[in-house]
């Protein structure tokens, strides 16, 4: 409650958080949770599934039948609420979120983006198989290819249900993690191609520097903010493509050094 109260005084999003503060008080008034137990994240998202108060009021359900919607202490309530929210966002039962795939030699990594959607049959004709080398399912689905760890890491084909997860949280890494966790719970094994050892452990300062260098080189990454998002990845891909480097948009240390060296030559 106090975090939402503080953010309600922030002029940048005062209206939004003022409304969320009122919603939080409505939840307390309804008896779903005591004020001292209403803990949340920095921005006020609450419980196991990190609902904002408005999402709680609209989608939280009583999964264990005790008369309360307890997203903090009841796993049945939390999971039932999460399922209710996903359904409202357009989740299609019976369809996967995506799967790990193998990419053929010579694959154009510039097409590995959610902005490029093709029928699954077209990706199959391009030589993409499942993680074990078997043909992709012969189903009529629109799909995209993602390589969150660059050309050296695992590749995924993602479907419409992946976009639904993205409506919950606008991070591709989040959505892939949720999908993979669901697969592991259902019995799936490890990735056949693990993420690169260096991972994406970038400091905010490192991303700010990368964005500043890319902008100075004429590759628009947007206003530098220290967050490695789609705009920065797109700018890095353009930089790589112009230099005949695999355009996977992955900010390895080698790539960070290369961009910095290019900027220093200006």
């Amino acid at each position: 409650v106090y975090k939402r109260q503080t953010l309600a005084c922030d002029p940048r999003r005062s209206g939004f958080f003022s409304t969320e503060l009122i919603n939080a008080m409505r939840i307390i008034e309804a008896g779903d949770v005591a004020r001292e137990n209403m803990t949340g994240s920095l921005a006020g998202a609450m419980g196991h599934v990190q609902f904002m108060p408005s999402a709680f009021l609209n989608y939280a359900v009583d999964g264990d039948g005790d008369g309360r919607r307890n997203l903090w202490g009841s796993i049945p309530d939390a999971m039932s609420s999460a399922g209710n929210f996903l359904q409202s966002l357009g989740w299609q039962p019976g369809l996967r979120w995506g799967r790990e795939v193998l990419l053929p030699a010579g694959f154009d990594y510039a097409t590995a983006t959610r902005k490029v959607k093709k029928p699954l049959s077209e990706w199959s004709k391009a030589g993409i198989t499942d993680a074990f080398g078997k043909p992709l399912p012969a189903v009529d689905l629109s799909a995209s290819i993602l390589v969150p760890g660059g050309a050296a890491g695992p590749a995924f084909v993602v479907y419409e249900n992946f976009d639904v997860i993205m409506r919950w949280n606008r991070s591709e890494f989040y959505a892939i993690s949720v999908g993979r966790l669901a697969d592991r719970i259902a019995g799936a094994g490890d990735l056949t191609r693990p993420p690169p050892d260096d991972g994406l452990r970038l400091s905010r300062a490192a991303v700010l520097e990368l964005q500043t260098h890319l902008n100075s080189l004429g590759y628009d990454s947007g206003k530098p903010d220290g967050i490695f998002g789609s705009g920065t990845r797109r700018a890095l891909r353009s930089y790589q493509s112009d230099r005949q480097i695999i355009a996977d948009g992955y900010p390895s240390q080698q790539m960070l050094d290369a961009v910095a060296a290019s900027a220093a030559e200006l």
Side-chain angles (χ1 to χ4, degrees):
V1 174
Y2 299 115
K3 292 173 181 176
R4 281 177 288 274
Q5 182 179 13
T6 301
L7 290 169
C9 297
D10 186 333
R12 292 173 298 178
R13 301 186 70 188
S14 177
F16 173 79
F17 283 105
S18 293
T19 300
E20 293 299 332
L21 174 61
I22 299 300
N23 287 335
M25 291 190 287
R26 289 172 61 195
I27 294 168
I28 294 172
E29 184 179 42
D32 287 303
V33 62
R35 185 186 65 177
E36 60 270 18
N37 294 331
M38 184 182 267
T39 56
S41 68
L42 177 63
M46 311 177 301
H48 289 297
V49 290
Q50 291 292 277
F51 274 9
M52 292 298 288
S54 55
F56 184 104
L57 292 173
N58 289 324
Y59 305 110
V61 296
D62 175 16
D64 57 16
D66 69 351
R68 295 188 302 123
R69 297 173 293 177
N70 181 3
L71 301 189
W72 297 265
S74 171
I75 298 300
D77 285 8
M79 294 300 99
S80 297
S81 299
N84 187 43
F85 187 34
L86 283 173
Q87 184 180 46
S88 75
L89 293 175
W91 184 269
Q92 300 179 57
L95 295 180
R96 299 175 62 111
W97 64 275
R99 65 176 72 231
E100 186 187 5
V101 293
L102 297 178
L103 304 179
F107 176 76
D108 181 5
Y109 283 89
T111 65
T113 168
R114 289 178 59 241
K115 290 185 177 295
V116 176
K117 296 184 182 294
K118 298 181 182 180
L120 197 58
S121 57
E122 287 193 26
W123 292 121
S124 293
K125 290 177 182 177
I128 296 174
T129 67
D130 73 9
F132 306 99
K134 297 179 180 179
L136 295 175
V139 293
D140 184 19
L141 281 177
S142 176
S144 300
I145 303 297
L146 298 180
V147 286
F156 301 92
V157 60
V158 297
Y159 311 133
E160 293 175 8
N161 275 346
F162 183 85
D163 293 334
V164 172
I165 302 174
M166 289 282 293
R167 293 186 193 113
W168 186 324
N169 186 303
R170 301 300 299 175
S171 165
E172 291 181 358
F173 295 101
Y174 173 91
I176 290 173
S177 297
V178 168
R180 279 291 300 161
L181 175 60
D183 288 349
R184 294 302 300 272
I185 291 173
D190 293 336
L191 293 170
T192 60
R193 189 168 186 174
D197 291 337
D198 58 356
L200 264 178
R201 303 180 184 91
L202 295 177
S203 67
R204 194 180 188 94
V207 177
L208 275 169
E209 183 177 354
L210 172 64
Q211 293 168 330
T212 301
H213 290 330
L214 286 170
N215 287 345
S216 70
L217 290 165
Y219 301 100
D220 183 14
S221 67
K223 182 179 179 180
D225 59 5
I227 300 173
F228 191 85
S230 59
T232 308
R233 185 182 292 274
R234 184 166 54 250
L236 182 56
R237 274 201 173 106
S238 296
Y239 170 88
Q240 293 169 321
S241 181
D242 286 347
R243 288 158 178 77
Q244 287 75 54
I245 302 170
I246 292 176
D248 58 7
Y250 184 68
S252 65
Q253 187 59 54
Q254 181 180 7
M255 192 53 52
L256 296 179
D257 293 342
V259 173
S262 295
E265 294 174 358
L266 294 177

